[in-house]
Structures are given as structure tokens and as C-alpha cells.
Amino acid sequence: MIPDTLAKSLVKICGQSAVIVDEDRLLVYESDALTAYRHRPGAVVLPRTTAQVQGAVTAIARHGLPIVPRGAGTGLSGGAVALDGAVVVGTARMNRILAIDVANRRAVLQPGVINAELSAAARPHGLYYAPDPSSQTACTIGGNVAENSGGPHCLKYGVTSRYVTGLTVVLPDGSVAKLGGQGRDAPGYDLVGLFVGSEGCFGIATEIEVGLLPLPEGVRTLLGIFDRIEDAGRAVSDIVSAGLLPAAMEIIDGPTIRAVEDSVFAAGYPTDAEAALVIEFDGVEAGLDAEAERAAEFCKRAGAREVRSARDEHERMALWKGRKKAFGAMGRIAPDLLVQDATVPRTTLPSILKGISEIGKRYDLVVANVFHAGDGNLHPNILFDRRDEDELERVERASKEIMQLCVDSGGTITGEHGVGLDKKHHMPLIYGPAELDAMWGVRRVFDPAATMNPGKVLPEETAPGWPVEGDARETGEPMATVGAAP
Amino acid sequence: MSIATAPTALSGVLPESRVLTGSAASGWTGGMPAEAVVFPADTDEVQALVRAANETGTRLLPAGAGSWLGAGGWTRVGGVIVSTARLDSVLHYEPADLTLTAGAGLGWRKLAALLEPNGQWLPVDGPGVGVGTLGGAAACGVPGPLRARYGAVRDNVLGLEVVTGDGRLLRIGGRVVKNVAGYDLVRLFTGSRGSLGVITRVSVRLFPRPEADVTMVFEGGVEEVLEVARVVRASPLPVAAAELVVRGAGVADGEAELAVRVLGGREEAEDVCSRLVAGIGAAPGGTMRGGESEVFHRRRIEWEGRLPLVVRLAALPGQLAATMEWARGVAGWTGGEVAGDVFGGVVRVKGSPGDDGAAELAETLTRVRREMEAAGGTMTLSQAPREVAARVGWTGAGGGGGGLAEKLKSLFDPRPVLQSRCP
């Protein structure tokens, strides 16, 4: 509940229908796609314009309440969870594409535009928006900016921050700042790059300028079937070392294949295989076949029992199906699913995969791997039932060991899902006090009053003097489940 | 701080053999004023220097090989130059990971020689990169035309070790290609021109060298070549880079050349080139392949670092014709060369204005900035004679951020000791 005076101000600023205070309707906003963390917000406000966001932020801050920015709520790190009765500022109604500037291959849009809708709108002009998180039919560009989202095709094309060229942001004090814009070459510090991936802690982006790419002329998609996952990992390393740069390389492991094949999403992968590797090349038609053939050869040399190739768009979709529906399928075989998101150096993939499998066996847990192999971005998923307390404890220990294994290999704790609420206590695994302190410092530059998305990204105990109420360790549950495909 | 006291303030931190003063210092800087040039050999020494500077109020100027000392007016204010040239060891290079971590002082040529046997490269072609250091490229963060294909410098810097202006040692980012753990301080420090800290180590993403490297050069009048550039830019074909150059007498005569670079598999590159030529409707004046193409571009980025005037005009690529026109207006006063990145929309004027005419040049620059800002662009002085810079200002109103930049500066360099500025 929020004070009546605040509710009235918000209605005055954004209109009656844009303000949600009804407890039942607030339920929808109590978590993001990582449903283990649930906290009902004090209210939700859905502004339509930069001025309304500015008004709402000012009014909420004046009442001393925390603010949580939210896109479509498809995030996988608890970043959009409203702790301590925070007020959610949702961008769902800010869903207009303001301009598609074909000559300059860019678009200007509001943050609530759905990722896939931007590409759909650009397509008639022969353009598209490259970052493609698996949730792209639901997630918003504003959310992508906050999380610096990736996706399968980021192997060749890079993540969100490469494409964001300008931002209009409402800062936590209600002021509006224009960062970059009009192309890529604003002088001064790269404040756009700093803002991207700040997980809603620095402000709310209300207008976003992004770069678009010409649609590739041709696509070749392969599917390698392996009896050992290490072999699939080796094929990935060999393809990259040979100088080939596929648009995407994705691995689906044995447990995942079986989950998919047992489900309504059955994609025709052999259920006795231990890994399926999807490889995609795109670009001009000339030379594409040769590249695909070379990649197929590397798969065979690494021990693939079979390499399939798609002959048309229909077959291509079929090859991708097992990858795209993996999370949905797993959701059907276990009540709970812990999704991890570590990135490791590519060459360590075979040994890391082996290590993860051993950890799973040691704790008697099913670990299913679906991941962006070309980037070394792993998603080991532990399937479990939270009602089994013993299992829950084993899951917790196994997940910590997996995280440590990845960090020890030179990797990091999150490649694309963000830190949010879920991984903030893992931050000290990769950063020391000096780095965490520097991050606190930067956060305070944007948000000196600690208004914006408190309790996320940085562990409170590393920030002397930062208000400690809203500490998720007290309130958040440790385990993660998946409600939507990431 | 007087010239006599600067080295004294930092004395004892480094052995004398790694401190240059007097004529040795100005020899190293190419005549730009510097109280001393110091060469720390490891990160600890950098940190000790920065701390000593904070205690004594000594002004520091971070540098690598010293090839771009004039940028942003670094040495116009004097101070002690901290060169990271000795921090040149390769700490981690796993070719199959396509990543490398090295000391900031690793020279670009050494880096290229290390990568070449593995068929890899760091496709960064910002001006001057070829003669500088890895740290210098990260600190300057200026992209060249290859950004069209590979992204800018900041897209390929994965991690940094920096000693901040107040002497803190930070290791930010990492050495994996995808990393969203915490706020992206790597992007803040990349391109900050040594104004927030001294970069001591850099981790970068590498790329396989493409099988084919083809450059087609189109020549003609400026209008004519601009039209070719427009066709190239509008084409969906994968062009790695395109740069339009007007030089020497051409600035007045209007003679220009456009270099279009295509990288990829052999079959792919030849196909792209022939389809581009078909779309343009005219054959190139010349075509270079392989090593010849590479050398052509390496020469193009040989540094303008010691030129008295470098002006950077940035606008949307669709405004290239107008930006070129403004650039030629400036070049009319300075002679030299005008180079425009067709996909990036950035045009650089590199010239040597005479001693007289500073007032007229300043007037022209001020007018160009005003007109460009009105059209949504920016004009920045990369290098300029003191009297011109004083009249024009290094940067205009662009950049935005409403005081955020100043706050970030005082967060990392509160005293401040780092005299470099980020235009």
C-alpha cells in the first residue's frame, strides 16, 4: 500500500487507468521470470511519456519510497522484484516506435517496445535489430538496455550495448538527461555504455536510439549430434580456432534433449545422444555453403555421429526448435529449475562441462545444460523439487560449486541474465572490495538518495553507510524457478 | 608546481634511470612541455606514483608511447607524464579463446606480430593506433572505419586494470566475451583519455583474420565520389569499412577518393565486390588485394599525432555530404587532409595552419560548430594550437549527461591529479 496522497498524485500525473493499487492486480507484478523471489509492490504506475515518468519518479521519491523500473518482467535475476513496498514504474504503455531512420540504419523508440516487434517493423526496410534474447517475443528493449541482454546470435553480432547509441533517461531525482544520440560519436565519457546494463539502478530510459543491421541474404543451419558433450564442446573450439565465425553456436545436452523429446515440443533429436550442437552461418550467399561444410567437417572430426543441415526455413525452424523450447520443456519435468548463467573461456568448455556433470552426480541431481557455446556462456540448469528439503540443500551446494568452477576457470558469474537479486551475493567471487566500492560510487553519482531499485546488483554489506532496509537476504528465497522461457 | 620541483615531489618512487627531465623529457615528448617523463615498470609503481602525486599535488598525464600527447590539450598544461610503455608483457593469450590480456604498454606492432602467426588480429583502426600501445588505444577509444564491421574499441575491450586518479587499483570486467556482472565500468574507462585513471592492463577480444582483404578505390570529384559513398552505404552487402578522403590541393579542387574495404572468405569477398561495382555502375580506379590492401590501410592510420590541428566532426552518416562540406570549409584554412568514415559519419580534418590567421580559423571553427550542433552533430578539437583552442573550446555543448561527467571525474580523481581531459 502506498499513501493516498501519492496514489492521487500518480493518478493526476498519469491518469486513473495507469495506477494500480488493488492488491489482487498487484499480484501480477510480484515477481519476474525468476519466480522464486516474490514481493508485492506498493503500487504500479504505467506512464506513457518521458514527462509522466519524470512526474511519477519525482512524486514517489518525494514520499521516500523506492522505485523499481520494469519492462515485461521476463528477467531471470529478480531484478524487477519490488522490495519493501517499492513502487513499480512499468514501461508497458511506452510502446511506440518513434522513428525508423532507414538512411542511417537506426531506430528511436520508447522502452516498452517488444524486441521482436522492432525487428518486425524494420524488416520491410531490409533491416533488423540484432540482439535476440530467447524471450524476444515478450521482452522489451528497455529491459534489454537495463540488462545488456544477449542472445544466440550475439556470437557474431555482439550484445545490446553495441547497438544502443543514445538514451533519454529520467534520473532518480526526476531530472532528464540526454546521453549520446544522433549516431555513435558524442564526445566525452561513454555514459550510454555505462547506463546499459545498470539494471534499473541508474534511472529509467524513456527514449532509446539503437542501430539496425541489414538483413542477411542467406542462412545455413546445421545440427550436429554427439555421443559425448565434451566432443560437442571441442567442435565449437575447433570451429572458432579455424577462423570461422558462425552467427550462432548453441549446445543442448542429453538430459535437455530427452526433456524436449518427451514434451509437446519434440524436435526429432535422438534421445540417446548426449549433445546436440546447432550452428548457424549467415551473410551473402556466396561462400555460405563452403563455410557450413567446413563446420560440418569439424563436427565429424570431433566425433559427431550425424550432422543434419536445413534445406529450407521450415527445416531450419525444426533444427532450432529443441534449443528454443528447452526451458519450456524442462519446466514440465521438474517443479523447480535453477538457471545459471556463467561465462567461461571457450577453450575450457570441455573440462567445465565434465566438471559440472561430476558435481551433478556427486549431489545426485539432474543438471541439464543449454547454452551459447560459441560465447562460452553456460546455462547449467538444476532440476529439483523445492518441497524436498534435502534436495534443496544439495541444489544450493551444487550451484555454488558450479559457479566457483566457472569463476576459477577465468569466467564470470553472469553472461547475460544480470545480477539482480539472485546473484548479488556472488559478486565478491569476481570483484574485490575496491571494485565493489567503485561500483557503489558510480551508483551514487546517478542515485545519491538510493531511490532506484535498491537491494539489487551490489551486496549491501560492501557499502558502509548505504541504507540496509530492503536487504534481500532477509526476504528473498534462495532458489530459482522458471516461469517463462529465458 | 614548478619544473624544478616536480621530479623532486615524486623522487624515490622510481629509480633515476626511469625518469627523464629537461631536454631528455622534451625530446621524448617532441617538444611539448613536460616537467618529467616517468616509466613505471609495474602496476605497483604506477600506484605509488599516483599516490605520491596526490600527496604532493603533482599533476600527472597518463600516456603510452607518447604518440598522441597533444590530444585534448594534454601537455598544454605541463605536468609529469606517466608512460606505461614498460608495462608491455603479454599476461594471457589463448588463441582458441580469441582473447588476450597484456600490459597497457604493449606496442601495437608487437601485438600484431604476436597475433599474426595464429591468423588473428585486433581490428581497431582508429587514427594513430598503429604506432601506439594497446593501453593508448583503449584510453583514447577512437574508432576508425572498421567499426562498421567489428564494432568500436569499446565493443572489444573486455576488461581493464586501472589505477584511479586517487590511487585505487581496480580490476574491472574480465577476459570472457560476455559479461554483465555489475556496472560496466570498462565502458566508462575506455575512451576516457586518462582522465579517470591510468590504464595498466587490458583484456581484449580478438578476431580471426579474414581469408580475403580487398580494397577498391574510386576516384573523382567530391560530389561524384560522395554519390558512390551513398550507394555503398545504402547497400545491404557486408562492407567492412569505407573511407572518403580529400587531400592536398583536392580540398580546393574538389578531387576525392573513396576506399571501400571488403573482408571475408575469398568467394564471398569477390562476390561482394562485383555486386558493389554493379550497383555503383562504375569500375574502381584501382583494386588492392591481400597484403597490398592491408598496407594501404595501415598507412592510412599512421598517426596524425604530431600535427598541429586535428578537428573531428561527427554527425549521422546520412549527413556525410554536409559534414564533408563543413570539413572542407575548415581545411580551406589549414590545408592538409579531410577523411570521412562513410558508415560512422565522422569526418576528420588534419592540417597545419600557419601562424597568422588564427583568428580567422577560430572564427570558422566556431561557426562550423554552431551550424553542426544546430543540425544535431558535434565538432571536437582533437588537437589545436593553444590560441585557437582558447578561442573555440575543445568541445561544444554536445555530450550531455547534465553534470554526470563532472561527478564521475571527481569520484575517481577528486583532487584532481590527472590533467588529461576527455573531450
Side-chain angles (χ1 to χ4, degrees), chain A residues 14 86 100 116 119 129 156 192 194 204 210 224 234 263 269 278 339 355 372 400 422 449-450:
Chain A
C14 301
I100 291 187
S119 280
Y129 178 65
K156 180 171 175 183
V192 173
L194 181 60
I204 302 175
V210 295
R234 194 166 311 110
S263 75
Y269 294 4
V278 179
V339 186
H372 312 300
K400 263 187 203 137
D422 190 46

Side-chain angles (χ1 to χ4, degrees), chain A residues 103-105 155 161-162 178 185 187-190 201 217 240 284 343 346-347 377 412 414 416 435 443, chain B residues 96-98 147 149 151 154 171 178-180 183 187 195-196 205 233 235 268 275 312 317-318 346 401 423:
Chain A
N104 292 298
R105 288 183 186 161
L155 172 60
S161 59
R162 180 165 164 184
K178 281 194 185 285
D185 283 286
Y189 299 135
D190 184 9
C201 299
E217 183 177 273
V240 171
V284 290
T343 307
R346 206 158 16 216
T347 46
N377 186 187
T412 188
T414 173
E416 58 180 7
E435 290 79 17
R443 181 169 176 160
Chain B
D97 281 336
L98 288 165
R147 170 173 55 185
R149 161 79 181 260
R154 57 186 179 232
R171 294 201 173 102
K178 251 168 113 186
N179 186 357
V180 295
Y183 308 126
R187 288 207 171 228
S195 66
L196 301 174
R205 175 182 188 169
R233 199 166 46 75
S235 162
E268 174 195 358
R275 286 160 71 188
R312 189 165 186 277
V346 175

Side-chain angles (χ1 to χ4, degrees), chain A residues 121-300:
Chain A
R123 180 169 282 271
H125 307 287
L127 300 170
Y128 78 112
Y129 178 65
D132 60 340
S134 299
S135 57
Q136 72 180 136
T137 53
C139 66
T140 63
I141 301 287
N144 294 171
V145 166
E147 301 297 314
N148 193 9
S149 302
H153 291 82
C154 291
L155 172 60
K156 180 171 175 183
Y157 294 105
V159 295
T160 301
S161 59
R162 180 165 164 184
Y163 295 90
V164 181
T165 55
L167 293 169
T168 299
V169 300
V170 173
L171 295 172
D173 66 0
S175 63
V176 175
K178 281 194 185 285
L179 315 178
Q182 293 276 321
R184 295 154 198 273
D185 283 286
Y189 299 135
D190 184 9
L191 297 177
V192 173
L194 181 60
F195 192 93
V196 174
S198 60
E199 301 197 26
C201 299
F202 291 179
I204 302 175
T206 56
E207 243 180 69
I208 301 167
E209 180 187 305
V210 295
L212 303 171
L213 295 182
L215 287 163
E217 183 177 273
V219 183
R220 297 290 182 281
T221 309
L222 303 171
L223 178 73
I225 303 290
F226 294 81
D227 293 325
R228 299 186 333 150
I229 192 164
E230 300 93 286
D231 295 343
R234 194 166 311 110
V236 168
S237 264
D238 291 347
I239 287 167
V240 171
S241 323
L244 290 169
L245 186 57
M249 280 202 279
E250 304 278 310
I251 289 180
I252 306 102
D253 76 351
T256 313
I257 290 172
R258 290 183 276 283
V260 169
E261 293 305 318
D262 281 348
S263 75
V264 294
F265 306 121
Y269 294 4
T271 53
D272 62 338
E274 282 311 314
L277 169 62
V278 179
I279 304 170
E280 189 154 282
F281 289 91
D282 67 9
V284 290
E285 282 290 343
L288 264 188
D289 284 327
E291 286 189 325
E293 274 161 34
R294 280 184 72 195
E297 194 50 46
F298 279 113
C299 288
K300 284 178 194 152

